[in-house]
Amino acid sequence: MTVTANGPLPSGSYDVAVVGAGVVGCAIARELARRPRLRVALVEAQDDVGQGTSKANTAILHTGFDAVPGSLEARLVREGARQLAAYAAESGIAVEPVGALLVAWDEEQLAALPHLAEKAVRNEYGDTRLIDPPELYEREPHLGPGALGALHVPGESVICPWTTTLAYATQAVRHGVELHLNSPVSEVSWREGAHLLTTARGTLRTRHLINAAGLHADTLDRHLGHHDFTVTPRRGQLIVFDKLARDLVHHILLPVPTALGKGVLVTPTVYGNLLLGPTAEDLDDKRATGSTAEGLALLREKGARILPALLDEEVTAVYAGLRAATEQDDYRITAHPEQAYITVGGIRSTGLTASMAIAAHVTELLADTGLDLGPARDLDPVSMPNLGDAHPRPHQNAQLVAADPEYGTLVCHCERVSRGEIRDALASTVPPRNLDGLRRRTRVRAGRCQGFYCGAAARELFEGAEA
């Protein structure tokens, strides 16, 4: 098993290199790991997997009911939702099937709901249902006044995005994929049947190249002479409310969507919090992940109408992520056989749901570029720590604690994270490189105190593992 973060990159040539270890890049690497003949590299600019768009989204497992019918995105979301739901159940990834309500607040939005139901049918999802105000308020008694009705989409769920990305990467690495972190790609050249990737850690050579670089997919595309799309970073700011707010809502509360996206929503998380957001701000800076006073004020204004009581609850955290918006509504997945190169661009918020289907689609395109994939194999399953608040935590398992008391010693009381869980994360196949990575693997420092009480102990354990 190979995970590197420092020193020169390995010599020799890879059959396939995947640039970008977000949820889509990791899913592609996992799919390629099913082909034991291939030597595969997963190359990531930052010091951990899932560090970009993948770590800062609304974490919804979509049905694809409102995708553009007939689009590539619609098909891959539809297929990917089924695949990821099964994979999550097998791997221990937290999922809660809470369902969604698209709430209409005016006559124009109300008139749009039947069309959205028809659109869902065209996307092969037939379980939507129009509900009137009495039923809506029975389902959501804390909803703000004045709602005229809603479209119920029972198949929508919430999922843990951090564990999903990590599960893909873990399975890939255990089956031979070489993960190289801290390796931003600055140049790409194609000559004599091979790609040469210039990175901060040296040059990597590969016969076939897959560009899953997210916000930077267009930049990598231009290195190889393609100008098919431009990524515009679309910032989404979100507010995380305390676990005590969780009982205020029972479904994902969606607005009627617009051209900029699904708009501001209120959704539960698998961690027991409520999210309010996101904003949709088109920017020029692909590093602008800071929150703004204006953005948070807008969210509170929207939240006051959707769920007035929410604004009386404590805020645990705020964060912002950047989505890879392009000129078209659809994914930009394109094969360039003459260069043994595939672009996987324009993957927006549905990319988490579609990730496994995207990986299968890209692998088929890879075969079309002339690569002999060789026979496929089944991968050994992975068992990930379930970070869901609805799932029993290790400290509640008397047999586990009796066998190993470390699971009964809590470090983070807000999120009920034990020393045993932290120890396991630090010794895992793809270990964290910093305290933020440890948080995404265990939830330590992610609760209402944001590490005020547990931060020193978490750091001591982290630094002890490094020593």
Side-chain angles (χ1 to χ4, degrees), residues 60 82 114 128 133 146 167 172 187 192 198 209-210 233 271 273 276 344 348 354 358 378 385 391 407 418 445:
I60 295 174
R82 292 191 291 265
T128 64
E187 295 288 341
E192 298 178 359
T198 302
L209 177 63
I210 297 174
Y271 318 118
N273 303 95
L276 172 64
V344 187
R348 297 166 301 169
I358 292 173
D378 292 331
H391 188 269
Y407 291 112
S418 67
R445 300 170 56 249

Side-chain angles (χ1 to χ4, degrees), residues 13 133 151 167 190 201 212 251 255 262 280 286 326 336 341 343 352 358 366 391 400 407 411 431:
S13 181
L151 183 69
W190 162 252
R201 296 176 52 205
H251 305 74
K262 299 186 189 307
K286 295 181 179 181
T326 66
H336 301 279
Y341 169 61
T343 303
L352 170 61
I358 292 173
L366 194 60
H391 188 269
L400 182 63
Y407 291 112
V411 174

Side-chain angles (χ1 to χ4, degrees), residues 65-266:
F65 77 95
D66 60 345
V68 177
S71 65
L72 179 62
E73 180 181 20
R75 176 172 71 83
L76 296 181
V77 169
R78 184 167 60 246
E79 295 172 1
R82 292 191 291 265
Q83 294 169 345
L84 181 50
Y87 182 74
E90 171 190 284
S91 305
I93 299 167
V95 174
E96 283 191 51
V98 293
L101 292 168
L102 275 84
V103 180
W105 296 97
D106 58 39
E107 294 292 344
E108 183 180 355
Q109 293 177 5
L110 186 65
L113 295 183
H115 299 290
L116 285 167
E118 293 169 8
K119 191 177 188 181
V121 171
R122 292 168 64 196
N123 282 318
E124 300 182 24
Y125 185 80
D127 291 341
T128 64
R129 185 171 64 89
L130 296 168
I131 62 175
D132 58 18
E135 182 179 349
L136 174 59
Y137 282 97
E138 182 180 354
R139 286 178 171 272
E140 294 291 352
H142 297 285
L143 192 69
L148 304 181
L151 183 69
H152 184 213
V153 189
E156 300 278 297
S157 302
V158 291
I159 188 170
C160 178
W162 304 333
T163 313
T164 304
T165 305
L166 186 62
Y168 292 160
T170 299
Q171 212 166 17
V173 168
R174 288 181 181 175
H175 290 84
V177 171
E178 299 180 22
L179 171 60
H180 301 303
L181 303 168
N182 293 325
S183 302
V185 176
S186 57
E187 295 288 341
V188 180
S189 61
W190 162 252
R191 58 178 182 267
E192 298 178 359
H195 295 276
L196 296 179
L197 278 61
T198 302
T199 82
R201 296 176 52 205
T203 301
L204 184 143
R205 180 185 177 91
T206 181
R207 292 168 53 210
H208 293 256
L209 177 63
I210 297 174
N211 171 6
L215 290 166
H216 303 281
D218 58 342
T219 303
L220 190 58
D221 223 32
R222 282 159 175 67
H223 282 304
L224 290 165
H226 304 289
H227 298 267
D228 298 337
F229 64 96
T230 298
V231 172
T232 298
R234 182 169 292 162
R235 180 167 59 191
Q237 302 183 48
L238 298 107
I239 301 175
V240 184
F241 286 89
D242 188 78
K243 294 174 186 287
L244 294 176
R246 176 63 182 85
D247 289 340
L248 290 177
V249 71
H250 306 295
H251 305 74
I252 304 165
L253 300 181
L254 298 172
V256 178
T258 68
L260 281 178
K262 299 186 189 307
V264 174
L265 55 88
V266 176

Side-chain angles (χ1 to χ4, degrees), residues 21 44 46-51 166 181 430-433 437 440-441:
E44 168 54 37
Q46 301 194 62
D47 65 355
D48 200 1
V49 301
Q51 278 275 57
L166 186 62
L181 303 168
V430 184
R433 302 284 163 178
R440 291 191 295 274
R441 286 161 174 79

